[in-house]
């Protein structure tokens, strides 16, 4: 038998054999980097110090803000573990102090904190929400697939439910900084549930504001897109109105963005230019396939959107308030309820254009 010390002695005689028997260490290093990470169980603790073990099999979602797990003891509760420094424990504590939000059934709001072994807040328990994201309403064929039997009445009710939720949060000093459609779930009854609540902008009772830098360009107010340093500051009510109105507009029109037009680019780029087909002073036209749908918007609601996206584009203080938007949607829902189910007013894709009154 040749000992290990003899291998080096014969290396100069059989260099190929040496390469075969002893692969470069860098190769092993790359293999280690490519190997999948083994996710083991995670242990957190409740207020009493009792351990809560979370296994990889109980993981239901993972994203930029952290990881969400099922809670064995209650299938209606989820536990979210935040990434280090993504959501400070002080913000979670401030959210827990907002009792109305904590008790709101449509919010995946922190119900209790969970701690690491050093007794630092590392996440929270929250209600389990279910349903389809708002993206399911952003194409007529998806509405038909996921919500069979729905028409414009149900879409208007979803939009109203969303506005009611945003208004409740605003009363508590909470502003949604990221109107990502994936952060809202809709069930078959039209109820809207808000998830990823720890990304909201919170005004704590101690006078401190907890901001968030999350955003999607196509749902952001123009002063944010044109001056991105503003994202480092707190959102304003006027910016929230603008973003909310975009989402409502797209719900009512099955995915049509208010700044989409014939020959235009993507919505975020169009937003930066300020070109909106609701501006009757220009020759910008709606996408051909959506002209009929837009014609069936009530005149007063269409005028509200024009004031929001045209008059309020450069002048945020001219943007209609959430209360006015809510009132218009309530009237729209009441009107649609009076229309027959075969009415073109209730059709998601009307076959004819609405005739204007002389």
């Amino acid at each position: 038998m040749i000992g290990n010390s003899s291998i080096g002695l014969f290396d100069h005689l059989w260099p190929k054999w040496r390469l075969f028997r002893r692969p470069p260490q860098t190769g092993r290093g790359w293999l280690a980097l490519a190997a999948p990470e083994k996710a083991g169980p995670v242990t957190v603790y409740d207020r009493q110090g009792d351990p809560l073990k979370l296994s990889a099999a109980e993981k239901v979602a993972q994203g930029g803000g952290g990881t969400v797990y099922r809670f064995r003891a209650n299938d209606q509760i989820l536990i979210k573990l935040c990434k280090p420094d993504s959501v400070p424990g002080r913000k979670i504590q401030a959210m827990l102090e907002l009792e109305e939000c904590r008790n709101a059934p449509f919010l995946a709001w922190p119900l209790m904190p969970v701690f690491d072994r050093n007794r630092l807040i590392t996440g929270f328990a929250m209600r389990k929400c279910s349903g389809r994201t708002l993206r399911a309403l952003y194409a007529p064929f998806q509405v038909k697939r996921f919500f069979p039997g729905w028409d414009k009445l149900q879409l208007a009710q979803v939009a109203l439910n969303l506005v009611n939720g945003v208004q409740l949060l605003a009363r508590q000093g909470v502003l949604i900084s990221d109107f990502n459609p994936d952060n809202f779930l809709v069930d078959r009854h039209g109820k809207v549930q808000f998830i990823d609540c720890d990304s909201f902008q919170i005004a704590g009772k101690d006078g401190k504001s907890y901001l968030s830098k999350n955003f999607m360009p196509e749902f952001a107010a123009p002063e944010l897109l044109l001056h991105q340093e503003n994202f480092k500051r707190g959102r304003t009510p006027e910016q929230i109105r603008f973003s909310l109105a975009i989402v409502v507009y797209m719900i009512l029109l099955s995915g049509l963005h208010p700044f989409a037009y014939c020959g235009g680019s993507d919505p975020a780029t169009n937003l930066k230019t300020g070109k909106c087909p609701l501006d009757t002073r220009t020759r910008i036209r709606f996408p051909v396939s959506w002209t009929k749908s837009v014609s069936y918007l009530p005149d007063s609601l269409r005028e509200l959107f024009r004031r929001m996206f045209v008059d309020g584009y450069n002048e945020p203080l001219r943007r209609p308030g959430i209360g006015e938007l809510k009132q218009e949607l309530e009237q729209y829902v009441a009107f649609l309820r009076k229309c027959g189910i075969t009415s073109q007013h209730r059709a998601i894709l009307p076959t004819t254009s609405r005739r204007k009154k002389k």
Side-chain angles (χ1 to χ4, degrees):
M1 176 183 288
I2 300 177
N4 288 340
S5 61
S6 302
I7 294 178
L9 181 63
F10 292 100
D11 279 350
H12 68 287
L13 297 177
W14 297 289
K16 293 183 179 179
W17 174 84
R18 179 184 179 186
L19 183 63
F20 178 77
R21 285 288 305 272
R22 303 172 73 178
Q25 291 296 317
T26 53
R28 291 180 181 177
W30 284 110
L31 289 174
L33 286 173
E37 181 181 355
K38 294 182 179 179
V42 179
T43 301
V44 293
Y45 304 86
D46 62 15
R47 287 188 186 274
Q48 288 71 40
D50 294 329
L52 305 172
K53 293 186 178 181
L54 309 172
S55 69
E58 294 166 329
K59 186 186 299 184
V60 295
Q62 187 169 7
T67 306
V68 179
Y69 294 86
R70 285 188 291 270
F71 184 40
R72 296 179 197 171
N74 187 336
D75 61 3
Q76 296 303 308
I77 297 294
L78 297 174
I79 294 179
K80 180 171 183 177
L81 301 186
C82 304
K83 288 187 175 180
D85 302 325
S86 64
V87 179
R90 295 186 304 277
K91 180 177 183 179
I92 295 175
Q93 194 61 48
M95 295 179 74
L96 288 166
E97 293 173 358
L98 298 177
E99 186 175 356
E100 187 171 355
C101 295
R102 197 173 67 244
N103 294 332
F106 67 92
L107 294 175
W109 201 262
L111 302 177
M112 76 168 192
V114 295
F115 305 84
D116 61 16
R117 65 178 63 185
N118 298 317
R119 296 296 296 168
L120 297 175
I121 295 178
T122 188
F124 54 89
M126 61 184 178
R127 290 181 188 85
K128 178 182 179 182
C129 295
S130 59
R132 299 282 178 181
T133 72
L134 280 185
R135 294 188 190 278
L137 306 181
Y138 284 1
F141 75 91
Q142 290 187 157
V143 177
K144 184 176 181 180
R145 176 186 176 187
F146 297 122
F147 302 99
W150 278 28
D151 56 27
K152 197 60 66 66
L153 171 60
Q154 287 76 24
L155 295 181
Q157 186 63 62
V158 167
L160 178 57
N161 292 342
L162 174 67
V163 170
N164 283 333
V166 173
Q167 192 175 48
L168 180 147
L169 289 169
R171 287 199 301 265
Q172 299 299 309
V174 179
L175 300 181
I176 300 176
S177 52
D178 183 13
F179 275 87
N180 184 340
D182 293 334
N183 291 341
F184 306 94
L185 302 181
V186 183
D187 66 14
R188 59 189 181 89
H189 303 294
K191 182 172 69 173
V192 181
Q193 300 170 83
F194 295 45
I195 60 176
D196 200 28
C197 295
D198 50 292
S199 71
F200 297 171
Q201 177 174 305
I202 311 295
K205 292 184 177 180
D206 58 358
K208 181 177 176 59
S209 292
Y210 298 92
L211 311 183
S212 173
K213 297 180 181 179
N214 297 349
F215 75 99
M216 289 195 71
E218 58 266 43
F219 298 100
E223 60 267 27
L224 295 173
L225 291 179
L226 296 173
H227 306 281
Q228 296 211 3
E229 65 274 11
N230 287 334
F231 280 114
K232 298 178 182 179
R233 306 186 181 101
R235 301 294 192 274
T236 67
E238 293 76 25
Q239 291 164 0
I240 302 307
R241 295 175 195 171
F242 194 95
S243 297
L244 174 62
I246 292 177
V247 178
V248 168
Y249 190 93
M250 294 182 71
I251 292 173
L252 297 179
L253 295 170
S254 303
L256 176 66
H257 194 281
F259 285 80
Y261 58 88
C262 283
S265 185
D266 61 276
T269 301
N270 293 344
L271 250 173
K272 290 181 180 180
T273 66
K275 295 180 180 179
C276 178
L278 287 169
D279 189 351
T280 56
R281 297 168 300 182
T282 68
R283 296 183 179 180
I284 299 172
R285 295 177 298 166
F286 292 100
V288 175
S289 57
W290 293 102
T291 302
K292 296 174 184 176
S293 296
V294 174
S295 73
Y296 280 94
L297 277 179
D299 294 340
S300 58
L301 184 56
R302 183 169 173 167
E303 173 62 14
L304 181 147
F305 286 132
R306 190 200 64 77
R307 287 162 47 211
M308 183 74 75
F309 302 130
V310 179
D311 296 345
Y313 183 87
N314 290 314
E315 300 182 59
L317 294 179
R318 298 183 66 180
R319 295 169 188 169
I322 293 179
E324 186 179 353
L325 177 58
K326 175 182 176 179
Q327 185 177 13
E328 286 292 340
L329 288 172
E330 288 174 338
Q331 294 175 0
Y332 189 30
V333 168
F335 168 75
L336 291 173
R337 284 202 175 112
K338 296 178 182 178
C339 298
I341 58 174
T342 59
S343 169
Q344 289 291 288
H345 284 281
R346 288 182 58 164
I348 292 178
L349 284 179
T351 56
T352 61
S353 292
R354 174 187 167 205
R355 292 183 179 179
K356 295 287 185 179
K357 294 180 181 180
K358 295 182 179 180

